[in-house]
Amino acid sequence: MNPDNSVGERIGLIVDEAMRIALASARMVAIYLAVMVAASVAVDATASSGGADFGITILSIAMGYFLTITMVGAVAPDPEGPDGGFGTYFGLSLLSGFAILAGLVLLVVPGVLLLIRLAPLYGFGLVNNDGVSAAFSESWAATKGHMAPIAVTLIIPTLMFVGSLGMYFYLSDGEGVISIPVSLVANTAMFSGTVLSTAIGLAIYSLLSGPGDRLEEIFA
């Protein structure tokens, strides 16, 4: 993505590519949302904790992997599948999540910076098969000069995630129990935000370091 393009032009490119990726992965998106929302609401409805919450975490990781791999296929179709596997996905998720969370908790600004600079991380790790550490370096280097458009495109999924957490925090009772309607809205917002952020991240990768022929067409 050319830094000489205006911020508005680059935002438009990212949004268009993210929509293309999401629509190409529509079936998996629907499955992901249905499974994750239904499972999370079921746990909330039974006021389960401990083992049930751990189960949701494991399910979220597994479904997130299938969602991401499906979207990766829309970015770089490969009959043999993407080069990077579950281990790479898990490593990227764990390390990036920890780094962003730590940055947000400690000083906020570093967390936001990491969220922006690591947006295309899965593309470098799963499409390029660069490895976990190399993917971090590639993502950081590739997003240089593009922070503003990336930040703008991530506003909506970030607000959806924060809003869902806010509903759990402010609308639960004294024992942390949340009503089913609120749980449905909160979980739909949370997992829809995940879908959007994943599509946006891979769109950024596609525009910055995707298949050459496609980039030449976009920026011709």
Side-chain angles (χ1 to χ4, degrees):
M1 191 154 48
N2 192 339
D4 293 333
N5 292 112
S6 70
V7 171
E9 289 174 333
R10 283 177 284 167
I11 290 172
L13 289 171
I14 294 171
V15 170
D16 288 345
E17 179 67 354
M19 289 180 62
R20 184 192 70 81
I21 292 170
L23 290 174
S25 311
R27 182 177 180 182
M28 188 63 228
V29 168
I31 293 173
Y32 172 83
L33 290 175
V35 170
M36 292 311 307
V37 171
S40 298
V41 171
V43 170
D44 290 338
T46 57
S48 300
S49 60
D53 290 337
F54 179 73
I56 288 293
T57 300
I58 297 300
L59 180 63
S60 178
I61 293 172
M63 292 301 297
Y65 171 71
F66 289 122
L67 173 69
T68 304
I69 287 298
T70 301
M71 288 188 172
V72 163
V75 174
D78 185 343
E80 298 180 359
D83 292 327
F86 179 78
T88 300
Y89 170 82
F90 183 75
L92 294 173
S93 299
L94 184 66
L95 293 178
S96 63
F98 177 78
I100 292 170
L101 180 61
L104 290 172
V105 170
L106 294 176
L107 293 171
V108 179
V109 174
V112 173
L113 177 63
L114 287 170
L115 181 66
I116 296 169
R117 300 299 292 270
L118 299 180
L121 188 64
Y122 289 125
F124 288 104
L126 296 173
V127 179
N128 288 14
N129 196 24
D130 288 339
V132 174
S133 60
F136 275 84
S137 299
E138 292 286 345
S139 180
W140 188 271
T143 52
K144 182 179 181 181
H146 300 288
M147 288 184 60
I150 293 174
V152 171
T153 57
L154 289 174
I155 288 175
I156 291 179
T158 300
L159 289 178
M160 293 174 74
F161 183 77
V162 172
S164 66
L165 292 181
M167 282 185 267
Y168 270 95
F169 185 80
Y170 289 107
L171 300 180
S172 59
D173 61 22
E175 297 180 354
V177 178
I178 192 170
S179 69
I180 292 178
V182 173
S183 174
L184 180 61
V185 173
N187 282 293
T188 299
M190 179 180 294
F191 294 113
S192 295
T194 299
V195 169
L196 288 177
S197 62
T198 303
I200 289 169
L202 288 171
I204 294 166
Y205 165 80
S206 176
L207 294 169
L208 292 176
S209 187
D213 292 341
R214 178 168 176 75
L215 289 178
E216 289 175 4
E217 291 176 4
I218 292 173
F219 295 111

